[in-house]
Amino acid sequence: MSEITNLISKRAAARTTSHFTTGPTDGAPVGFKAHPNPLPLHWGMPNNGFFPIDSIDLNLVDYPFQKSLQLTNNSLENLSLTGSSNGGQSVTPPLQPTKNLKTIRIERHTTDPDLIDIATGLQYANVEGLKPLLNFTRDFINRTHKPGYDDWETIITNGAGDGLNKAADALLDPEDVILIEEFTFTPFLQNVKNAGGIPVPVKLTIKSGSQGLDLEYLTDLLENWSTIHPDKKKPKALYTIATGQNPTGLTQTVEFRKKVYELADKYDFAIIEDDPYGYLALPPYQTPSSTIKLDTFLTVDEYLKDHLVPSYLEIDTKGRVIRIETFSKLFAPGLRLGFIVAHKEVIKAVSNYSAIVTRTSSGTSQLIVNNVIQQKFGGVDGWLQWILKMRITYAHRRDVLLNSIYKSEAYKKKFIEVIDPKAGMFVALIVNFPEGTDFLAKLKLLVWKFAEYGVGVVPGINMAVDKKFSAEHANFFRLTYAPANSDDELIEGGKRLTDAINDFFEKGLEF
Ligand SMILES: Cc1ncc(COP(=O)(O)O)c(C=O)c1O
């Protein structure tokens, strides 16, 4: 039995599954011999011959924004060559497309065990996910974040939002406490509430070089729990977005994670690690150029060894960690596809819950993701190469936005600071209000200023677990370089934002 078994909610542990099509399983009469080839007159699943789709052709790109780069007669591969100073030697960019296919065909039937065909993908299926994709998730985790124990499994979900809801259900009974970074992905709070859980915020340190969670605060909180929260049960879990945290963009180092894990072990709680952004591990800011330099490309091995921050899974020896993954940020959000990695007992609890809430994830999404990864990218390493291309593109966007801010009057006058994120798609913009300022009132006014200047940002306070608890360190906004259509939009966005702040400060913090 794993340590995690004691942490599974009573509600989840009490669930069982059975299906009315299951044949007799107990007490076979003496002399019974199973027929070697029984015929299915029991399942209400339509034969795949009824499906109106015979094959699907998917037209694909080799790198993000390929079409727009082609308009300027560039490609990521070409761009990479322009940056090399190899004395005229010809070099092979490390990120050549593995299979170079522009189109892949998904057939009604295939015998390739790595692929999902239409007959399978569009059919009813098991709750855990279709086998080829499930195998991929295992191979992927083995390559990127191999857990420190053996009894782990994966299950396909409808994205991280769904994964989080299922993790909350698996752990939390009414009145159970879950620790949450004080600024967080707030939809999760509704999942906690839905399970009857009580969220308790943990302080974050929001400044450059910080790792997010305030470890001293957390340690003290746990040590003195019964004094600080005499009316609450001991925490059952910690929810953390440990890499490229939403909304602060902060990332915990592996040494830091080890300390947090030690606390989890000492005080017996689970860690829900939500990681939609971790694979977008970014190089430090550099002045953006119009070409992407070859030396900013990494091989997959270099990326895994030196850049990808290890997951909590890797230091987990007891199955305490529930890792929530998603294809939303690396493939596309509309797929509603992700997966959970956890101890098999947790996966069983999640699977039993899935059977009554979502059933299996969309087969269409599964077959598209799986077959693109296999047929186009050639499996795990090819998929990681695609991720490296996304990483370079995001790093460039981050650099363009930060550069626009660094050049501004507001930045030069130190009205603001930014945290250069080590991963993901969020930047915290800290506003240096004079001491004694009522942050919340001024932040509200600033948001009106931004609306007037024509730029949208998220006030940190909107993502607080408890606004009162966090009011004194809410002097920041979340910016993202993910949705912009072009570098020009990012430059202009940065300019509007900093002009608005400059205007606000020059008017003595008045509108
Ligand atoms: C931290 C975090 N968790 C979960 C999600 C939800 O992701 P999904 O689209 O996979 O449901 C998001 C989306 O923005 C997020 O930022």
Side-chain angles (χ1 to χ4, degrees):
M1 276 242 288
S2 143
E3 312 258 325
I4 192 87
T5 319
N6 303 323
L7 297 174
I8 289 177
S9 67
K10 292 191 187 71
R11 180 183 50 249
R15 278 191 197 110
T16 53
T17 49
S18 69
H19 198 265
F20 56 80
T21 55
T22 309
T25 51
D26 53 345
V30 182
F32 169 78
K33 223 172 117 205
H35 192 284
N37 188 23
L39 291 171
L41 297 182
H42 50 347
W43 297 317
M45 52 186 229
N47 187 284
N48 75 78
F50 289 110
F51 302 165
I53 300 174
D54 194 51
S55 67
I56 301 173
D57 284 345
L58 295 174
N59 300 310
L60 303 162
V61 292
D62 293 325
Y63 38 85
F65 299 99
Q66 183 169 327
K67 283 279 159 78
S68 39
L69 284 171
Q70 268 166 1
L71 288 178
T72 55
N73 214 15
N74 278 322
S75 74
L76 209 54
E77 277 74 25
N78 291 337
L79 284 174
S80 72
L81 288 170
T82 60
S84 74
S85 53
N86 65 338
Q89 304 268 312
S90 84
V91 285
T92 309
L95 296 184
Q96 289 288 19
T98 329
K99 292 205 168 175
N100 213 13
L101 294 174
K102 302 289 175 230
T103 301
I104 62 165
R105 172 156 294 187
I106 299 172
E107 307 277 7
R108 192 182 285 263
H109 297 287
T110 179
T111 52
D112 186 335
D114 291 335
L115 300 183
I116 301 170
D117 58 22
I118 286 174
T120 310
L122 269 56
Q123 189 53 273
Y124 285 121
N126 61 327
V127 161
E128 289 76 17
L130 294 168
K131 196 111 210 190
L133 186 62
L134 263 183
N135 288 343
F136 167 78
T137 60
R138 283 196 136 251
D139 293 347
F140 184 68
I141 289 299
N142 266 323
R143 180 84 166 112
T144 55
H145 294 303
K146 194 171 171 23
Y149 67 102
D150 292 331
D151 274 349
W152 59 277
E153 284 176 9
T154 58
I155 184 166
I156 303 295
T157 62
N158 298 351
D162 179 48
L164 288 173
N165 185 42
K166 288 170 178 170
D169 172 82
L171 295 175
L172 302 176
D173 279 311
E175 308 303 317
D176 279 349
V177 169
I178 178 164
L179 303 172
I180 301 186
E181 288 154 346
E182 63 174 317
F183 298 102
T184 193
F185 179 65
T186 42
F188 181 60
L189 299 176
Q190 298 307 320
N191 303 132
V192 170
K193 200 170 159 195
N194 193 45
I198 300 172
V200 169
V202 180
K203 249 177 88 179
L204 292 175
T205 308
I206 305 169
K207 60 176 191 199
S208 281
S210 146
Q211 320 216 7
L213 275 178
D214 182 332
L215 195 60
E216 225 173 281
Y217 178 91
L218 177 62
T219 310
D220 180 67
L221 180 68
L222 290 163
E223 256 171 36
N224 300 296
W225 184 264
S226 44
T227 321
I228 300 171
H229 291 290
D231 52 335
K232 292 192 180 78
K233 292 198 214 169
K234 293 212 162 189
K236 217 169 177 195
L238 165 73
Y239 167 60
T240 178
I241 308 160
T243 315
Q245 205 259 354
N246 187 2
T248 61
L250 294 165
T251 295
Q252 300 166 12
T253 60
V254 66
E255 289 72 29
F256 187 90
R257 289 173 206 228
K258 281 182 186 158
K259 290 182 190 146
V260 174
Y261 187 84
E262 272 172 27
L263 290 174
D265 228 9
K266 184 167 172 191
Y267 294 100
D268 193 23
F269 59 84
I271 297 175
I272 301 176
E273 177 186 57
D274 184 12
D275 194 14
Y277 308 107
Y279 296 105
L280 299 171
L282 303 176
Y285 168 82
Q286 53 180 352
T287 311
S289 64
S290 55
T291 57
I292 294 172
K293 295 192 177 70
L294 186 63
D295 58 13
T296 55
F297 281 95
L298 301 169
T299 64
V300 167
D301 283 331
E302 284 166 346
Y303 163 74
L304 294 177
K305 191 165 147 286
D306 302 327
H307 297 264
L308 183 69
V309 183
S311 153
Y312 272 98
L313 280 179
E314 294 169 64
I315 46 184
D316 185 14
T317 48
K318 298 179 176 162
R320 285 191 182 282
V321 176
I322 302 180
R323 180 175 166 85
I324 311 294
E325 290 243 1
T326 177
F327 288 105
S328 283
K329 315 294 175 176
L330 303 174
F331 204 123
L335 296 159
R336 306 314 308 136
L337 204 65
F339 60 98
I340 298 177
V341 191
H343 189 273
K344 65 178 188 193
E345 292 297 328
V346 175
I347 298 294
K348 194 169 107 197
V350 169
S351 169
N352 286 346
Y353 186 44
S354 298
I356 56 171
V357 288
T358 51
R359 306 194 61 75
T360 183
S361 294
S362 158
T364 318
S365 292
Q366 294 189 64
L367 77 79
I368 288 176
V369 168
N370 181 75
N371 291 15
V372 167
I373 288 175
Q374 296 300 339
Q375 290 175 268
K376 166 73 180 170
F377 297 122
V380 170
D381 275 36
W383 176 237
L384 286 166
Q385 287 199 344
W386 168 259
I387 289 172
L388 287 181
K389 292 175 187 178
M390 294 195 73
R391 165 188 184 270
I392 285 297
T393 315
Y394 269 113
H396 174 74
R397 286 176 157 238
R398 186 268 326 262
D399 293 348
V400 170
L401 177 61
L402 289 196
N403 188 254
S404 165
I405 294 172
Y406 291 155
K407 287 200 309 214
S408 71
E409 284 300 302
Y411 185 79
K412 286 179 194 156
K413 292 177 190 162
K414 299 198 179 353
F415 297 155
I416 49 171
E417 287 166 50
V418 285
I419 301 178
D420 176 10
K422 294 191 170 71
M425 49 180 70
F426 302 116
V427 173
L429 177 113
I430 300 166
V431 185
N432 290 326
F433 290 115
E435 229 171 277
T437 307
D438 175 357
F439 286 174
L440 295 191
K442 294 300 170 188
L443 288 168
K444 239 187 218 165
L445 265 186
L446 246 185
V447 173
W448 283 109
K449 223 357 131 204
F450 293 150
E452 188 177 69
Y453 273 74
V455 61
V457 296
V458 178
I461 196 71
N462 286 11
M463 300 182 73
V465 174
D466 176 342
K467 288 192 167 53
K468 243 200 215 146
F469 177 91
S470 294
E472 276 173 24
H473 14 122
N475 58 324
F476 75 98
F477 292 95
R478 188 195 82 170
L479 319 179
T480 176
Y481 33 85
N485 288 304
S486 63
D487 287 5
D488 287 346
E489 269 189 27
L490 288 167
I491 295 167
E492 177 62 19
K495 184 169 166 2
R496 290 182 189 183
L497 178 78
T498 50
D499 283 352
I501 292 169
N502 196 43
D503 180 3
F504 188 68
F505 269 72
E506 291 301 338
K507 286 187 180 135
L509 306 185
E510 292 304 333
F511 189 78

